[in-house]
Amino acid sequence: MGAPFYFTHMNTEQTLDEKLHRIDGRGYKAYKELTGEYQFPSYTLRIDHVQGDPFATPSRIRVRVDRKTSGLPRAFSANQSRKVALCDYLTRIFYKNCLKYSQGNRGTGKSGLIVVDRPGQEILESTAMVMTGQWVEVRFFMGLPATGRRIAGRDAAIMFLKELPEIVKGSLFFNRLNPSDLKTHIETAEDADALRDGLEDLGLVGFVANGAFLPRTSGIDPAPLAKDRAVRFQSPDTLETGIMLPNRGCITGMGIPKGVTLIVGGGYHGKSTLLDALELGIYNHVPKDGREMVVSLPSAVKIRAADGRNVVKTDISPFINNLPFNTDTTSFSTENASGSTSQAANISEALEAGARVLLLDEDTSATNFMIRDHRMQQLVTKDKEPITPFIDKVRQLYDEKRVSTVLVMGGSGDYFSVAHQVIQMTAYIPEDVTRKAHHIAKEHASGRKQEGGHAFGELKHRIPIPESFNPHRGKHRTKISAPRIDEILFGKTLIDIGDVEQVVHISQTRGIAHALHYATRYMDGKQTLKEVVGRVIKDIDGNGLDILTPFVTGDIVCFREFELAAAINRMRALIVTQQS
Ligand code: ADP
Ligand code: MG
């Protein structure tokens, strides 16, 4: 069959092979010639950007396969949940196949590397794998090989013409995949989304399925703890809820109702582990993670103290008043917040961004922000204490603003009086002790005075000023990157997001870094921070994560408006005005 005329000029794998042999042994810069598109028998290869030298960030490459050719069933991408999970699965397989078929180290620097951004325990939308009705495209990275600084063209030919085709065929073609694994992956994500979507109607803010497996291997390894060392989750009868899911049918587990929920129990009995699982319940998890059916409302925000952070004109007046030197707490700024002021700012900013559920753990809270008992009220009188403790605000938050709180608190029973429900963890098994706790609260009055006043109060919104977002380093060079998961480099400023715990992947941090720049288009001196981050997220939902970067790259992972707002709030160069 003769190719149409215009195809005769198209680069093919032969063209690539010839080029590579021609530039073999030349200086590394000659690799730049490769930039462009090459038609392979069953896919299109596109070399977007060639690295400057063997040590630089690896080259950006894409492979696009026609949906028909790939054989991926339409049903597997029939809705957004499924599509995200399918792409995530393909990325994982592609990652594994890179390890399997690529020889790896082949010379200087990153020579020989073929790698795709590796997903973690969460199933997240990412630019590593993008799918439309017509095609599926993987974006990955290759370290083009060199000996010293000379092009190793023959090695490059092996990478492009032997290894990569194996990797692509083993990852993007349905007949090479494990259909039942793939189906489980997709159905798990779809069920988790349905579960999360169902919370609101059931009046819940979170759900932990019976049989769930919460503990992690270690503080630095989010994989599940060895099965023989862990106790599976079992809901107390009183909180047990059933819910119908599209794939696995009815599941039961512990529903955490709206309102104020207290998690109590002895030290080391699993309180924080439960809260951590809820904190990440905003994301879907991979099969066998143990937390697949642990979900929380998408607007649940973890709050912690983060002393040392900067705060810019945040209204923390519900919690802090009468600071020394008459500091205005309706517009509070500091370069170096204390534990309590940082926690107050974190709450105000989360509320400003639209959080509907706050998750707090005593382990990472400032004690003087959380409690102030009867005896302390006697010694340090209210007029000498700027802090109104959270205990006096938590009910107002729910009663007036419908913002729920889930709080781990093993250290103070004063909270019994303000909790709608109290869950006690004993050797990792929860028990509903609400009646008992309320009874104790009645029998043993805490003696403390309520210090929260009559209302929570209205928080002032802030308007970010675009001039404070300067991505430039030097005159023309922009610098936007994520050196680490907890650090954004934006122009000349480093933004520390180490206390923003719901960021789970460095490519989310990278996405947020680029979103800071993208967001400036909506900063007109009128739109509030909430409106600005809302528009960015809306654009991403409508047009994909690719809009954030000036070039296509496979290492951007989705994030929420809350984490974007948190990064903005932590910018030391931030300038805002308060909405009057
Ligand atoms: P707490 O906050 O109550 O002090 P943690 O949640 O920190 O307790 O848990 C203490 C330890 O127990 C941690 O090492 C954690 O990984 C482990 N752990 C938590 N839940 C379980 C479980 N269901 N089975 C086994 N170990 C668990
Ligand atoms: Mg703890």
Side-chain angles (χ1 to χ4, degrees):
M1 199 176 75
F5 170 71
Y6 51 87
F7 269 120
T8 55
H9 290 290
M10 189 169 240
N11 287 320
T12 62
E13 56 178 328
Q14 283 76 32
T15 333
L16 181 60
D17 196 23
E18 283 157 25
K19 275 191 194 177
L20 288 170
H21 282 89
R22 182 154 42 77
I23 61 175
D24 183 38
R26 287 174 54 189
Y28 203 83
K29 290 275 181 280
Y31 263 139
K32 295 273 180 203
E33 282 182 32
L34 299 185
T35 313
E37 213 169 88
Y38 304 86
Q39 190 59 52
F40 278 58
S42 54
Y43 59 85
T44 311
L45 169 78
R46 192 186 162 108
I47 302 177
D48 279 319
H49 179 260
V50 172
Q51 64 205 96
D53 67 73
F55 297 92
T57 310
S59 304
R60 293 197 306 271
I61 322 272
R62 288 190 245 179
V63 161
R64 184 179 285 193
V65 181
D66 203 79
R67 271 302 284 274
K68 278 211 194 82
T69 320
S70 78
L72 292 164
R74 293 274 158 196
F76 283 8
S77 56
N79 57 42
Q80 184 64 10
S81 293
R82 286 177 162 246
K83 198 168 105 177
V84 169
L86 171 58
C87 285
D88 174 85
Y89 185 85
L90 298 178
T91 310
R92 290 170 197 272
I93 300 298
F94 194 92
Y95 180 85
K96 277 193 200 150
N97 282 330
C98 287
L99 298 180
K100 188 164 155 196
Y101 293 110
S102 156
Q103 282 294 315
N105 199 348
R106 275 218 164 83
T108 335
K110 305 200 168 86
S111 291
L113 184 79
I114 308 180
V115 72
V116 70
D117 200 25
R118 185 185 193 179
Q121 293 298 114
E122 289 77 22
I123 298 175
L124 297 169
E125 186 173 354
S126 155
T127 58
M129 194 71 67
V130 173
M131 187 176 282
T132 69
Q134 281 73 50
W135 43 259
V136 54
E137 182 177 278
V138 57
R139 291 87 170 269
F140 56 101
F141 302 91
M142 284 174 70
L144 302 186
T147 318
R149 289 181 190 273
R150 306 251 146 237
I151 288 176
R154 282 154 213 280
D155 281 344
I158 293 172
M159 289 173 71
F160 279 112
L161 303 167
K162 293 224 158 59
E163 296 175 359
L164 188 56
E166 283 303 320
I167 295 167
V168 171
K169 278 182 210 145
S171 315
L172 299 183
F173 292 84
F174 185 60
N175 59 8
R176 291 280 297 275
L177 303 174
N178 179 328
S180 74
D181 269 9
L182 173 54
K183 190 159 171 278
T184 306
H185 202 82
I186 290 169
E187 291 184 345
T188 300
E190 188 178 41
D191 279 348
D193 277 328
L195 183 57
R196 195 175 296 104
D197 289 346
L199 290 176
E200 199 86 60
D201 280 348
L202 293 168
L204 303 176
V205 299
F207 181 93
V208 185
N210 290 336
F213 196 88
L214 309 185
R216 300 296 99 191
T217 299
S218 77
I220 52 164
D221 183 355
L225 185 70
K227 290 267 184 296
D228 54 330
R229 288 172 51 204
V231 178
R232 285 183 182 272
F233 193 86
Q234 180 59 47
S235 171
D237 293 343
T238 46
L239 294 172
E240 198 160 76
T241 311
I243 182 166
M244 245 346 232
L245 299 179
N247 302 300
R248 63 185 68 192
C250 187
I251 66 162
T252 53
M254 181 174 86
I256 299 178
K258 290 180 183 169
V260 178
T261 301
L262 205 60
I263 301 172
V264 303
Y268 221 67
H269 277 260
K271 304 184 295 297
S272 297
T273 305
L274 172 58
L275 194 79
D276 290 349
L278 289 169
E279 177 183 329
L280 298 184
I282 57 168
Y283 300 128
N284 294 344
H285 289 91
V286 294
K288 299 203 179 88
D289 172 87
R291 300 167 298 181
E292 299 94 301
M293 295 298 127
V294 180
V295 297
S296 49
L297 287 181
S299 58
V301 178
K302 176 70 184 289
I303 299 292
R304 58 169 294 167
D307 55 318
R309 66 159 283 203
N310 72 310
V311 178
V312 184
K313 293 193 177 170
T314 298
D315 181 355
I316 57 168
S317 61
F319 303 106
I320 319 265
N321 278 291
N322 306 321
L323 285 175
F325 306 112
N326 282 332
T327 310
D328 179 9
T329 57
T330 63
S331 175
F332 177 75
S333 300
T334 177
E335 299 262 306
N336 187 6
S338 65
S340 56
T341 51
S342 65
Q343 196 163 358
N346 284 349
I347 294 180
S348 289
E349 290 164 358
L351 296 173
E352 183 185 17
R356 305 295 313 283
V357 185
L358 305 179
L359 306 171
L360 284 81
D361 191 330
E362 61 184 346
D363 292 352
T364 48
S365 291
T367 308
N368 60 343
F369 180 78
M370 300 306 292
I371 50 180
R372 194 166 124 75
D373 67 13
H374 177 56
R375 286 182 175 166
M376 199 54 80
Q377 285 181 330
Q378 302 292 310
L379 185 67
V380 181
T381 49
K382 177 74 184 125
D383 55 312
K384 298 203 175 60
E385 173 56 271
I387 303 170
T388 302
F390 190 64
I391 188 172
D392 290 327
K393 286 291 172 187
V394 66
R395 273 301 279 264
Q396 292 172 350
L397 267 177
Y398 184 67
D399 296 338
E400 291 167 34
K401 314 233 172 263
R402 294 288 158 214
V403 173
S404 297
T405 298
V406 182
L407 172 66
V408 168
M409 177 56 80
S412 168
D414 285 0
Y415 268 91
F416 294 171
S417 331
V418 294
H420 292 101
Q421 47 274 332
V422 184
I423 298 166
Q424 179 172 355
M425 296 301 288
T426 309
Y428 315 124
I429 298 291
E431 187 190 345
D432 181 356
V433 295
T434 310
R435 278 160 163 265
K436 229 173 168 177
H438 284 166
H439 182 71
I440 292 169
K442 233 192 226 150
E443 294 289 295
H444 307 270
S446 75
R448 66 183 301 281
K449 277 195 289 287
Q450 224 272 41
E451 297 180 333
H454 295 300
F456 185 82
E458 287 308 314
L459 286 174
K460 290 214 180 99
H461 277 272
R462 292 168 302 152
I463 298 162
I465 304 303
E467 287 71 29
S468 53
F469 291 70
N470 183 0
H472 296 294
R473 215 164 216 243
K475 250 203 173 132
H476 302 291
R477 218 160 69 89
T478 60
K479 184 74 201 169
I480 300 173
S481 70
R484 304 192 329 201
I485 186 170
D486 57 358
E487 208 170 76
I488 291 169
L489 182 56
F490 192 78
K492 288 183 192 153
T493 40
L494 267 181
I495 308 168
D496 179 354
I497 59 162
D499 64 309
V500 185
E501 291 182 4
Q502 286 162 299
V503 171
V504 292
H505 198 290
I506 189 170
S507 296
Q508 288 184 304
T509 311
R510 195 175 294 112
I512 292 167
H514 286 283
L516 293 174
H517 186 44
Y518 183 91
T520 55
R521 74 190 58 200
Y522 293 125
M523 297 178 192
D524 57 0
K526 291 191 196 75
Q527 297 208 53
T528 62
L529 182 58
K530 179 176 203 274
E531 286 163 343
V532 169
V533 298
R535 292 187 76 155
V536 174
I537 299 299
K538 194 163 161 248
D539 285 357
I540 295 171
D541 287 346
N543 303 308
L545 288 159
D546 281 344
I547 59 167
L548 296 178
T549 47
F551 46 79
V552 167
T553 180
D555 54 1
I556 303 292
V557 168
C558 73
F559 50 86
R560 301 183 305 174
E561 61 268 48
F562 302 106
E563 282 68 40
L564 176 56
I568 293 174
N569 283 317
R570 282 158 183 73
M571 280 178 68
R572 291 199 179 256
L574 179 67
I575 304 170
V576 298
T577 58
Q578 259 191 356
Q579 201 177 39
S580 43

